Short mmCIF file of all heavy atoms in Angstrom, two decimals:
data_model
loop_
_atom_site.label_atom_id
_atom_site.label_comp_id
_atom_site.label_asym_id
_atom_site.label_seq_id
_atom_site.Cartn_x
_atom_site.Cartn_y
_atom_site.Cartn_z
N LEU P 30 -6.13 29.89 -16.90
CA LEU P 30 -6.99 29.31 -17.92
C LEU P 30 -7.97 30.35 -18.46
O LEU P 30 -8.29 30.35 -19.65
CB LEU P 30 -7.75 28.11 -17.34
CG LEU P 30 -6.92 26.86 -17.06
CD1 LEU P 30 -7.76 25.80 -16.34
CD2 LEU P 30 -6.36 26.28 -18.36
N ASP P 31 -8.46 31.24 -17.59
CA ASP P 31 -9.33 32.33 -18.05
C ASP P 31 -8.58 33.22 -19.04
O ASP P 31 -9.14 33.64 -20.07
CB ASP P 31 -9.82 33.16 -16.87
CG ASP P 31 -10.86 32.45 -16.02
OD1 ASP P 31 -11.47 31.47 -16.52
OD2 ASP P 31 -11.08 32.86 -14.87
N ALA P 32 -7.33 33.53 -18.71
CA ALA P 32 -6.52 34.38 -19.60
C ALA P 32 -6.27 33.66 -20.94
O ALA P 32 -6.28 34.29 -22.00
CB ALA P 32 -5.20 34.74 -18.93
N LEU P 33 -6.04 32.34 -20.88
CA LEU P 33 -5.81 31.57 -22.10
C LEU P 33 -7.07 31.55 -22.96
O LEU P 33 -7.00 31.69 -24.20
CB LEU P 33 -5.38 30.15 -21.75
CG LEU P 33 -4.82 29.30 -22.87
CD1 LEU P 33 -3.52 29.88 -23.41
CD2 LEU P 33 -4.59 27.87 -22.39
N ALA P 34 -8.25 31.41 -22.33
CA ALA P 34 -9.51 31.42 -23.07
C ALA P 34 -9.74 32.79 -23.72
O ALA P 34 -10.22 32.88 -24.86
CB ALA P 34 -10.67 31.06 -22.15
N ALA P 35 -9.37 33.86 -23.00
CA ALA P 35 -9.51 35.21 -23.56
C ALA P 35 -8.62 35.36 -24.79
O ALA P 35 -9.02 35.98 -25.80
CB ALA P 35 -9.17 36.26 -22.51
N GLU P 36 -7.42 34.80 -24.74
CA GLU P 36 -6.52 34.84 -25.90
C GLU P 36 -7.08 34.00 -27.04
O GLU P 36 -6.99 34.39 -28.22
CB GLU P 36 -5.13 34.36 -25.49
CG GLU P 36 -4.09 34.44 -26.59
CD GLU P 36 -2.71 34.03 -26.12
OE1 GLU P 36 -2.50 33.86 -24.89
OE2 GLU P 36 -1.82 33.89 -26.99
N ARG P 37 -7.65 32.84 -26.71
CA ARG P 37 -8.24 31.98 -27.74
C ARG P 37 -9.37 32.71 -28.47
O ARG P 37 -9.53 32.56 -29.69
CB ARG P 37 -8.77 30.69 -27.10
CG ARG P 37 -9.29 29.67 -28.11
CD ARG P 37 -9.93 28.47 -27.43
NE ARG P 37 -8.98 27.69 -26.67
CZ ARG P 37 -9.00 27.57 -25.33
NH1 ARG P 37 -9.94 28.18 -24.61
NH2 ARG P 37 -8.10 26.82 -24.71
N ARG P 38 -10.15 33.48 -27.74
CA ARG P 38 -11.26 34.22 -28.37
C ARG P 38 -10.76 35.27 -29.37
O ARG P 38 -11.55 35.79 -30.16
CB ARG P 38 -12.15 34.87 -27.30
CG ARG P 38 -12.98 33.86 -26.52
CD ARG P 38 -14.01 34.54 -25.65
NE ARG P 38 -13.46 35.22 -24.49
CZ ARG P 38 -13.21 34.63 -23.32
NH1 ARG P 38 -13.43 33.33 -23.17
NH2 ARG P 38 -12.75 35.34 -22.31
N ARG P 39 -9.49 35.59 -29.29
CA ARG P 39 -8.93 36.58 -30.20
C ARG P 39 -8.07 35.97 -31.31
O ARG P 39 -7.41 36.69 -32.05
CB ARG P 39 -8.10 37.60 -29.38
CG ARG P 39 -8.98 38.50 -28.52
CD ARG P 39 -8.17 39.31 -27.52
NE ARG P 39 -8.99 40.32 -26.87
CZ ARG P 39 -9.78 40.09 -25.82
NH1 ARG P 39 -9.87 38.85 -25.30
NH2 ARG P 39 -10.51 41.06 -25.29
N LEU P 40 -8.07 34.65 -31.40
CA LEU P 40 -7.34 34.01 -32.50
C LEU P 40 -7.95 34.41 -33.83
O LEU P 40 -9.16 34.67 -33.93
CB LEU P 40 -7.39 32.48 -32.35
CG LEU P 40 -6.54 31.87 -31.25
CD1 LEU P 40 -6.84 30.36 -31.14
CD2 LEU P 40 -5.05 32.08 -31.52
N PRO P 41 -7.16 34.47 -34.88
CA PRO P 41 -7.72 34.78 -36.21
C PRO P 41 -8.60 33.64 -36.70
O PRO P 41 -8.48 32.50 -36.23
CB PRO P 41 -6.48 34.94 -37.09
CG PRO P 41 -5.42 34.13 -36.41
CD PRO P 41 -5.69 34.25 -34.93
N TRP P 42 -9.49 33.96 -37.61
CA TRP P 42 -10.36 32.98 -38.24
C TRP P 42 -9.88 32.71 -39.65
O TRP P 42 -9.27 33.58 -40.29
CB TRP P 42 -11.79 33.47 -38.32
CG TRP P 42 -12.42 33.87 -37.02
CD1 TRP P 42 -11.92 33.70 -35.75
CD2 TRP P 42 -13.70 34.51 -36.86
NE1 TRP P 42 -12.79 34.20 -34.81
CE2 TRP P 42 -13.90 34.71 -35.46
CE3 TRP P 42 -14.68 34.97 -37.73
CZ2 TRP P 42 -15.04 35.32 -34.95
CZ3 TRP P 42 -15.82 35.56 -37.23
CH2 TRP P 42 -16.00 35.73 -35.86
N LEU P 182 -17.67 25.74 -24.03
CA LEU P 182 -17.89 27.13 -24.42
C LEU P 182 -16.59 27.92 -24.45
O LEU P 182 -16.43 28.83 -25.28
CB LEU P 182 -18.89 27.79 -23.50
CG LEU P 182 -20.35 27.30 -23.63
CD1 LEU P 182 -21.23 27.96 -22.58
CD2 LEU P 182 -20.90 27.56 -25.04
N ASP P 183 -15.65 27.59 -23.57
CA ASP P 183 -14.37 28.29 -23.55
C ASP P 183 -13.57 28.11 -24.84
O ASP P 183 -12.63 28.86 -25.11
CB ASP P 183 -13.52 27.81 -22.37
CG ASP P 183 -13.94 28.43 -21.05
OD1 ASP P 183 -14.70 29.41 -21.07
OD2 ASP P 183 -13.51 27.91 -20.00
N LEU P 184 -13.92 27.12 -25.66
CA LEU P 184 -13.23 26.89 -26.93
C LEU P 184 -13.71 27.80 -28.04
O LEU P 184 -13.07 27.90 -29.08
CB LEU P 184 -13.41 25.43 -27.37
CG LEU P 184 -12.93 24.32 -26.45
CD1 LEU P 184 -13.21 22.97 -27.10
CD2 LEU P 184 -11.45 24.47 -26.12
N THR P 185 -14.86 28.44 -27.83
CA THR P 185 -15.51 29.15 -28.93
C THR P 185 -15.15 30.63 -28.97
O THR P 185 -14.73 31.22 -27.96
CB THR P 185 -17.04 29.02 -28.79
OG1 THR P 185 -17.48 29.75 -27.62
CG2 THR P 185 -17.46 27.56 -28.66
N PRO P 186 -15.36 31.29 -30.11
CA PRO P 186 -15.09 32.73 -30.21
C PRO P 186 -15.94 33.56 -29.26
O PRO P 186 -15.51 34.63 -28.82
CB PRO P 186 -15.42 33.05 -31.68
CG PRO P 186 -15.29 31.77 -32.39
CD PRO P 186 -15.70 30.70 -31.43
N PHE P 187 -17.16 33.11 -28.94
CA PHE P 187 -18.03 33.86 -28.04
C PHE P 187 -17.80 33.51 -26.57
O PHE P 187 -18.28 34.22 -25.69
CB PHE P 187 -19.50 33.60 -28.37
CG PHE P 187 -19.96 34.20 -29.67
CD1 PHE P 187 -21.17 33.80 -30.23
CD2 PHE P 187 -19.21 35.16 -30.33
CE1 PHE P 187 -21.60 34.35 -31.43
CE2 PHE P 187 -19.64 35.71 -31.53
CZ PHE P 187 -20.85 35.30 -32.08
N GLY P 188 -17.09 32.41 -26.29
CA GLY P 188 -16.87 32.00 -24.91
C GLY P 188 -18.17 31.65 -24.20
O GLY P 188 -19.13 31.18 -24.81
N ARG P 189 -18.22 31.92 -22.91
CA ARG P 189 -19.42 31.62 -22.12
C ARG P 189 -20.48 32.71 -22.29
O ARG P 189 -21.59 32.55 -21.84
CB ARG P 189 -19.04 31.49 -20.64
CG ARG P 189 -17.95 30.46 -20.41
CD ARG P 189 -17.62 30.31 -18.93
NE ARG P 189 -16.40 29.53 -18.76
CZ ARG P 189 -15.96 29.09 -17.59
NH1 ARG P 189 -16.65 29.37 -16.47
NH2 ARG P 189 -14.86 28.37 -17.50
N GLN P 190 -20.07 33.81 -22.90
CA GLN P 190 -20.97 34.93 -23.18
C GLN P 190 -21.52 35.54 -21.88
O GLN P 190 -22.68 35.93 -21.79
CB GLN P 190 -22.11 34.49 -24.11
CG GLN P 190 -21.61 33.93 -25.42
CD GLN P 190 -22.65 33.20 -26.22
OE1 GLN P 190 -23.73 33.73 -26.45
NE2 GLN P 190 -22.33 31.98 -26.65
N GLU P 191 -20.64 35.61 -20.88
CA GLU P 191 -21.00 36.22 -19.60
C GLU P 191 -20.19 37.49 -19.40
O GLU P 191 -19.04 37.60 -19.86
CB GLU P 191 -20.77 35.23 -18.47
CG GLU P 191 -21.71 34.04 -18.56
CD GLU P 191 -21.56 33.06 -17.41
OE1 GLU P 191 -20.53 33.09 -16.71
OE2 GLU P 191 -22.48 32.26 -17.22
N TRP P 193 -18.48 38.95 -17.19
CA TRP P 193 -17.19 39.03 -16.52
C TRP P 193 -16.02 38.69 -17.44
O TRP P 193 -14.87 38.98 -17.11
CB TRP P 193 -17.17 38.09 -15.32
CG TRP P 193 -17.30 36.63 -15.67
CD1 TRP P 193 -18.48 35.91 -15.78
CD2 TRP P 193 -16.25 35.71 -15.99
NE1 TRP P 193 -18.22 34.61 -16.15
CE2 TRP P 193 -16.86 34.46 -16.28
CE3 TRP P 193 -14.87 35.82 -16.07
CZ2 TRP P 193 -16.13 33.34 -16.64
CZ3 TRP P 193 -14.13 34.69 -16.42
CH2 TRP P 193 -14.77 33.46 -16.69
N GLU P 194 -16.31 38.07 -18.60
CA GLU P 194 -15.24 37.59 -19.47
C GLU P 194 -14.56 38.74 -20.23
O GLU P 194 -15.20 39.72 -20.61
CB GLU P 194 -15.80 36.60 -20.48
CG GLU P 194 -16.19 35.27 -19.90
CD GLU P 194 -16.74 34.34 -20.96
OE1 GLU P 194 -17.81 34.64 -21.51
OE2 GLU P 194 -16.09 33.31 -21.24
N ASP P 195 -13.28 38.55 -20.46
CA ASP P 195 -12.49 39.46 -21.29
C ASP P 195 -12.65 38.99 -22.74
O ASP P 195 -11.99 38.05 -23.17
CB ASP P 195 -11.03 39.41 -20.85
CG ASP P 195 -10.12 40.25 -21.74
OD1 ASP P 195 -10.63 40.98 -22.60
OD2 ASP P 195 -8.88 40.16 -21.56
N SER P 196 -13.57 39.64 -23.46
CA SER P 196 -13.88 39.23 -24.82
C SER P 196 -13.79 40.42 -25.78
O SER P 196 -13.90 41.57 -25.35
CB SER P 196 -15.30 38.63 -24.88
OG SER P 196 -15.37 37.43 -24.16
N PRO P 197 -13.61 40.14 -27.07
CA PRO P 197 -13.54 41.22 -28.04
C PRO P 197 -14.84 42.04 -28.07
O PRO P 197 -15.92 41.52 -27.77
CB PRO P 197 -13.32 40.49 -29.38
CG PRO P 197 -12.72 39.18 -29.00
CD PRO P 197 -13.34 38.82 -27.69
N THR P 200 -18.89 40.98 -28.71
CA THR P 200 -19.24 39.63 -28.30
C THR P 200 -20.55 39.67 -27.50
O THR P 200 -20.68 40.47 -26.57
CB THR P 200 -18.13 39.02 -27.43
OG1 THR P 200 -16.93 38.94 -28.20
CG2 THR P 200 -18.52 37.61 -26.97
N GLN P 202 -23.03 39.06 -24.63
CA GLN P 202 -22.81 38.70 -23.22
C GLN P 202 -24.05 39.01 -22.40
O GLN P 202 -24.80 39.94 -22.71
CB GLN P 202 -21.62 39.47 -22.65
CG GLN P 202 -20.27 39.06 -23.20
CD GLN P 202 -19.11 39.74 -22.51
OE1 GLN P 202 -19.22 40.87 -22.06
NE2 GLN P 202 -17.98 39.05 -22.42
#
Side-chain angles (χ1 to χ4, degrees):
L30 289 174
D31 288 341
L33 193 64
E36 183 176 350
R37 185 186 294 114
R38 290 190 287 274
R39 290 170 170 83
L40 286 174
W42 304 352
L182 290 176
D183 281 346
L184 300 180
T185 68
F187 290 166
R189 305 181 191 190
Q190 302 167 51
E191 294 183 342
W193 64 269
E194 289 180 294
D195 176 8
S196 293
T200 299
Q202 291 186 328

